[in-house]
Amino acid sequence: MHSQNDELEYQLDTLAIRTGHTRSFEGEHAEPIFLTSSFVYENAAEAAAKFSGEVAGNIYSRFTNPTVAMFEKRLAAMDGAERAVATSSGMGAILSVCMAFLKAGDHVICSRAVFGSIVALFEKYIAKFGVDVTFVDLNDLDAWKNAIRPETKILFIESPSNPLAEIADIPALAEIAHSKNAMLVVDNSFCTPVLQQPLILGADLVVYSATKYLDGQGRALGGAVTGNHKLLEDVFGVVRTLGPSMSPFNAWVFLKGLETLRLRMKAHCENAQHLAEWLNQHDKVEKVYYAGLPEHIGHERAVKQQNGFGGIVSFVVKGGREGAWKVIDNTQFISITGNLGDVKSTITHPATTTHGKLSPEAKQAAGIQEGLIRVSVGIEDISDIIRDIERGLALI
């Protein structure tokens, strides 16, 4: 791939490894890390031309850095997007979208089935600037239609949702949004471009926590927004001015993560399917949330929209919080942490961690029960993962 002009002719696995690599004068084979805050010019005229935008080039690593640009180009190509903008974290990506497109008097409709920090972002912080937010059931299309107003600017969803793996009807929600000149923003962190491409399904913008599967090894924080050039130019303006930027080193880490993304996602999906089926037969488990199970409410939709069911399995155990903590505390190698998307399996109790700051009413509305456990299924041997979870289940 000596030319970048025909990248879209390549398949995803090739894009994940070859896209975006701009070699320096040394002709290095691996992508270089440009650990520099600023860039030097031959003369004042060159500096003036680049600062004005008359000539393309690097200026300051807050908004122009070659390693970050490589990550952005690679992710955009994989996502079927015209452009990507990298950010310091997944929440930084969502905040950048809000700052780019919302103003006082605007309205947002958000799914109830989202990460706890997103609820806090809209209710506690964005609301301070005069933006109203309405939370609705992800799968109730009538609720979305009834909630939309002339001042609605954004419909925001996660699909699959965290932690119950609810599956949104992305084309239908896009149609609802576009009928009122609003945009649909989809958090695709759980699926990644390997399993789902929301832009092709009708979404306007896609946000990622690169910290999760895009890295895949729990090494660095980062986020990204993908979409068309026009919308991304507004997002870029926020990142350039306000500074929620991705560091060059983290961008290099994510570049390496993208190279193995399909292989890892395949392994995550296979292990998660095995675990969900095993849990579904366990007498200490009351309910399993995984779209790979035929009885899951979103199974048929996931089959249509996704190329796999992902690596997140949530389940409710008998005994409420006491039972859930017993399962978690008796694991021996699964990491007890709120992060996910790692090659290492992780386990957490959403009601007291990732969704712990939600009100009791909000938890109930989002289906966050005290007996609920979320497992981010890694790529260890599945028999060892099952045995580790069985240790605690046997004690309930």
Side-chain angles (χ1 to χ4, degrees):
M1 287 180 71
H2 300 294
S3 170
Q4 300 299 315
N5 296 324
D6 56 354
E7 286 171 349
L8 294 181
E9 296 178 7
Y10 293 91
Q11 299 301 309
L12 188 142
D13 286 342
T14 306
L15 296 173
I17 293 171
R18 293 291 182 174
T19 306
H21 187 173
T22 304
R23 292 185 173 88
S24 73
F25 62 88
E26 295 293 346
E28 67 283 337
H29 176 61
E31 296 84 350
I33 309 174
F34 286 85
L35 294 177
T36 181
S37 58
S38 63
F39 299 85
V40 176
Y41 312 103
E42 291 295 328
N43 50 56
E46 182 189 1
K50 289 187 177 178
F51 268 76
S52 69
E54 179 183 343
V55 174
N58 298 298
I59 298 171
Y60 190 61
S61 281
R62 186 177 76 243
F63 56 94
T64 50
N65 179 277
T67 311
V68 176
M70 291 181 208
F71 168 70
E72 291 172 335
K73 290 176 182 177
R74 185 169 295 180
L75 180 61
M78 294 174 68
D79 220 17
E82 293 179 359
R83 184 177 179 184
V85 171
T87 60
S88 57
S89 67
M91 290 306 302
I94 298 168
L95 175 62
S96 296
V97 169
C98 291
M99 296 301 290
F101 300 107
L102 297 176
K103 64 182 186 306
D106 285 345
H107 176 238
V108 174
I109 309 175
C110 182
S111 166
R112 288 195 183 96
V114 292
F115 178 48
S117 292
I118 296 172
V119 176
L121 170 67
F122 285 124
E123 285 192 329
K124 188 174 180 180
Y125 297 104
I126 298 299
K128 289 168 58 176
F129 298 95
V131 175
D132 193 19
V133 60
T134 301
F135 292 94
V136 300
D137 187 316
L138 179 63
N139 293 301
D140 187 346
L141 292 179
D142 287 336
W144 289 91
K145 293 176 184 177
N146 293 334
I148 203 163
R149 315 170 187 167
E151 62 269 24
T152 303
K153 294 297 185 292
I154 290 175
L155 278 63
F156 186 93
I157 63 170
E158 293 176 1
S159 186
S161 69
N162 181 12
L164 302 184
E166 294 182 73
I167 309 297
D169 188 336
I170 294 177
L173 289 173
E175 185 177 345
I176 292 171
H178 298 159
S179 71
K180 299 295 183 179
N181 296 316
M183 70 172 97
L184 177 64
V185 180
V186 178
D187 187 330
N188 197 39
S189 298
F190 276 25
C191 274
T192 80
V194 170
L195 302 184
Q196 180 172 258
Q197 293 180 313
L199 295 172
I200 295 174
L201 295 170
D204 299 281
L205 292 173
V206 176
V207 294
Y208 288 100
S209 172
T211 313
K212 309 301 191 292
Y213 289 106
L214 298 190
D215 172 23
Q217 298 186 53
R219 298 170 293 190
L221 290 175
V225 186
T226 68
N228 66 39
H229 284 298
K230 184 177 184 298
L231 294 178
L232 267 294
E233 185 62 24
D234 289 329
V235 176
F236 173 72
V238 171
V239 174
R240 172 175 182 155
T241 305
L242 303 186
S245 313
M246 179 178 288
S247 77
F249 181 82
N250 287 9
W252 180 82
V253 170
F254 298 136
L255 278 165
K256 298 292 101 181
L258 290 178
E259 291 178 351
T260 61
L261 184 57
R262 184 188 289 277
L263 296 174
R264 287 186 286 106
M265 292 309 297
K266 180 181 179 181
H268 285 300
C269 290
E270 290 176 354
N271 274 357
Q273 185 73 37
H274 283 301
L275 178 62
E277 291 174 357
W278 177 78
L279 288 167
N280 209 32
Q281 302 299 319
H282 203 289
D283 61 358
K284 302 295 179 64
V285 175
E286 295 182 344
K287 187 172 182 62
V288 181
Y289 296 93
Y290 186 67
L293 297 175
E295 62 267 32
H296 187 280
I297 189 172
H299 177 73
E300 291 184 9
R301 190 173 294 155
V303 170
K304 293 178 181 177
Q305 293 183 174
Q306 300 172 195
N307 295 317
F309 302 109
I312 305 298
V313 176
S314 295
F315 57 101
V316 179
V317 299
K318 295 180 178 178
R321 180 185 295 190
E322 182 181 354
W325 282 19
K326 191 168 290 185
V327 172
I328 293 168
D329 290 347
N330 281 280
T331 57
Q332 292 185 0
F333 73 83
I334 297 178
S335 304
I336 303 174
T337 180
N339 194 32
L340 58 89
D342 202 310
V343 293
K344 300 179 179 70
S345 293
T346 69
I347 192 168
T348 195
H349 183 242
T352 54
T353 58
T354 57
H355 294 69
K357 293 185 178 180
L358 298 183
S359 68
E361 295 77 18
K363 287 181 185 177
Q364 182 177 5
I368 309 299
Q369 303 178 49
E370 287 293 327
L372 182 69
I373 296 170
R374 187 194 71 193
V375 176
S376 173
V377 187
I379 62 174
E380 304 97 342
D381 189 282
I382 186 58
S383 65
D384 292 326
I385 296 172
I386 288 174
R387 189 162 56 247
D388 213 29
I389 293 173
E390 170 63 19
R391 290 186 178 95
L393 286 172
L395 299 176
I396 296 177

